[in-house]
Amino acid sequence: KPQVSLAVGLRRTIEEFSSRLARDSSALPKIYVQCNPLLDISAHVDAEFLKKYDVQPASAALFGEKQEGIYADIESRADHVFIPGGSGLNTARVAQWVSQAPIRSLVSYTGCVADDKYGAILKNSAEKEGVVMNVEYTTKAPTGSCAVCITGKERSLVANLAAANCLTGAHLETAEVQKALKESKLFYLTGFTLTVNVDYVLTVAKKAHQVGGKFMLNLSAPFIVQFFGEQLNKVLPYVDVLFSNDDEAKVFSEANKFGTTNVTEIAQKTAALPYNGPHGSRLVVFTQGSQPTVWATTSATAEVAVQPIEASKIIDTNGAGDAFVGGFLAGLARGADITKSIQAGNYAAGVVIQHDGCTFPETSSFTF
C-alpha cells in the first residue's frame, strides 16, 4: 500500500507541475515566424567532391546545372545528417528551445514545402522540437534543400530554394495561419521573405500592429539591402525591431548615405528612420560576432558583452545570427528586458557555433 500511495502521489505531483507549466506558458505572448524553409543535408566531404560539383571552399551559392546530383550524393554519405533549416526555421527552433516552453505551445512557423520526402523530414523534425508547422504544400517544385559540404572546419553551402519560393497569399488566409496571426504577439520575418513577395510581408506587419504585437525583421544578407532595397523601404516603417550583423549594417549605412561605418552610429541613425508603428520607437539590434552586441532606440543606446568562447571549441558559425534572434525572441516572450533578451541571444549563438549546423543540446541552461 505505501508503494501505491507513493506512486499516486508522484503522479499527482507531476500532473500538477505539468498543468502549472502549461498555464504559465499559455500566458506567454506567442511567436509567429515566416521564412523560406530548407532541409539541410550535412556531411563531411573531400576536395574531390567539391571539385566534382564546382563548389568553392567556404562558399554559399544557389544550385545550378553544375551541381546536378549533389543532394543525392551527399545523402549517400554515411555520416549525413538532416537538419530542418532555412534562416527563419532555425530561429523558430532556437526560440522554442531557449524559452523552455512546452512543445507546440509558443512558436508557429509559416512557409512552403512540397509533399515529398524532404518536406516530410523537415516538417516532422521541426514539430518534434516543438514548433507548430503551418506549411503550404506546392506541386510546382520540390521541397527546398541545402547541401552543407563540410571540409575540415569549412562549410560550403549549395541551396536550392525550389518550393520555398512558392508561398502564396492564399495560404496566409487559411484558418491555421489566421489563427496563428491572431494569437501571436511577436512576429518575426527574415529579409529573405522580401525576395518572394513584399505584399506577404506587409500583410504580416499590418496584422502584427492590429493585434498590438511587435513586428520584427532581419536584414539577413548584404544582397537584400543591395538588390531588394525598394521592398525593404516599403516594409521598414512598420518594423518595430530590426536585426542585423555588423557587415549588413555597414551595407545598409552605405545604401542610406549615413556617412559612417561606426556600428553604434548606424544603429542610432537606423532607429531614427521614419517609423509608424505603435510602440513609440524602433529598436535596432546589431550583432558583431565576438564583439559587444549594440542596441539603439531614438532615446537610448547601449552595448551588451558577448561571453568569449575558445577558438578551438568553435565548429560552425553559419547559424549564429539565426540563433541569436531565437534567443532574443525567447527573452521577449519570457518578459525579459532588452539587455536580458540580448544575453539570451548571445547565449544561444554561443551554444550553436559549438555544433555542426543549427543544432543544440536537448535542454537550454539559460535562466530568465
Side-chain angles (χ1 to χ4, degrees):
K1 289 183 180 179
Q3 290 180 337
V4 173
S5 297
L6 180 62
V8 171
L10 181 60
R11 189 190 73 226
R12 288 176 178 171
T13 300
I14 293 172
E15 288 175 350
E16 182 181 345
F17 176 77
S18 299
S19 177
R20 186 185 307 124
L21 187 61
R23 288 197 303 272
D24 290 345
S25 297
S26 67
L28 298 179
K30 292 188 177 183
I31 300 169
Y32 175 96
V33 179
Q34 186 171 307
C35 190
N36 306 337
L38 302 175
L39 181 67
D40 289 349
I41 313 165
S42 175
H44 289 81
V45 301
D46 54 23
E48 284 301 311
F49 182 95
L50 298 184
K51 184 178 179 181
K52 176 181 178 181
Y53 294 106
D54 193 31
V55 176
Q56 299 302 311
S59 66
L62 292 176
F63 173 82
E65 290 183 5
K66 292 180 179 180
Q67 289 80 45
E68 194 70 46
I70 191 172
Y71 300 105
D73 199 344
I74 200 168
E75 189 179 338
S76 72
R77 305 274 159 157
D79 69 335
H80 80 273
V81 177
F82 293 118
I83 304 171
S87 178
L89 187 51
N90 287 341
T91 293
R93 293 168 51 237
V94 171
Q96 171 62 39
W97 171 63
V98 176
S99 73
Q100 303 168 49
I103 62 172
R104 292 184 288 279
S105 71
L106 182 67
V107 185
S108 68
Y109 177 89
T110 298
C112 186
V113 299
D115 187 9
D116 56 16
K117 173 185 172 182
Y118 285 175
I121 294 172
L122 184 149
K123 183 175 184 289
N124 293 338
S125 298
E127 287 180 338
K128 284 180 181 178
E129 290 183 303
V131 178
V132 176
M133 296 292 288
N134 294 321
V135 294
E136 178 176 14
Y137 290 102
T138 184
T139 57
K140 295 179 180 178
T143 296
S145 54
C146 182
V148 182
C149 311
I150 306 172
T151 50
K153 283 206 168 188
E154 293 183 336
R155 272 101 183 123
S156 300
L157 311 178
V158 180
N160 181 20
L161 300 179
N165 276 331
C166 299
L167 184 70
T168 65
H171 184 63
L172 299 184
E173 298 299 325
T174 59
E176 62 266 27
V177 175
Q178 283 294 308
K179 181 175 184 290
L181 289 169
K182 183 178 180 180
E183 293 180 351
S184 298
K185 291 295 183 182
L186 303 172
F187 300 78
Y188 174 71
L189 275 68
T190 66
F192 300 123
T193 59
L194 296 172
T195 69
V196 178
N197 191 318
V198 68
D199 289 336
Y200 302 165
V201 180
L202 289 169
T203 294
V204 177
K206 293 173 182 178
K207 186 65 176 181
H209 291 169
Q210 286 174 8
V211 299
K214 289 184 177 180
F215 176 71
M216 293 168 269
L217 186 76
N218 201 319
L219 294 182
S220 295
F223 83 85
I224 296 295
V225 178
Q226 294 164 329
F227 301 109
F228 293 88
E230 181 180 349
Q231 293 90 332
L232 179 59
N233 288 336
K234 286 182 179 179
V235 174
L236 200 56
Y238 297 91
V239 177
D240 302 305
V241 184
L242 182 71
F243 299 99
S244 167
N245 66 27
D246 49 345
D247 290 335
E248 296 150 6
K250 291 171 185 176
V251 173
F252 186 77
S253 175
E254 183 178 357
N256 286 275
K257 297 180 172 56
F258 286 165
T260 181
T261 58
N262 180 283
V263 174
T264 300
E265 292 178 2
I266 297 171
Q268 292 170 324
K269 290 178 179 290
T270 303
L273 289 173
Y275 170 69
N276 63 12
H279 301 288
S281 173
R282 173 184 298 115
L283 170 65
V284 177
V285 183
F286 290 158
T287 59
Q288 304 185 91
S290 61
Q291 298 303 305
T293 301
V294 172
W295 68 265
T297 64
T298 53
S299 60
T301 185
E303 295 183 348
V304 179
V306 174
Q307 294 299 314
I309 296 172
E310 293 178 26
S312 61
K313 294 183 177 180
I314 298 175
I315 296 175
D316 182 2
T317 60
N318 280 318
D322 302 336
F324 172 84
V325 178
F328 187 94
L329 290 176
L332 291 186
R334 285 290 179 187
D337 61 15
I338 295 173
T339 298
K340 191 72 171 180
S341 295
I342 289 176
Q343 289 172 343
N346 289 340
Y347 160 80
V351 170
V352 164
I353 65 174
Q354 297 180 66
H355 295 78
D356 272 324
C358 190
T359 57
F360 34 83
E362 185 174 347
T363 305
S364 167
S365 62
F366 190 84
T367 56
F368 290 103

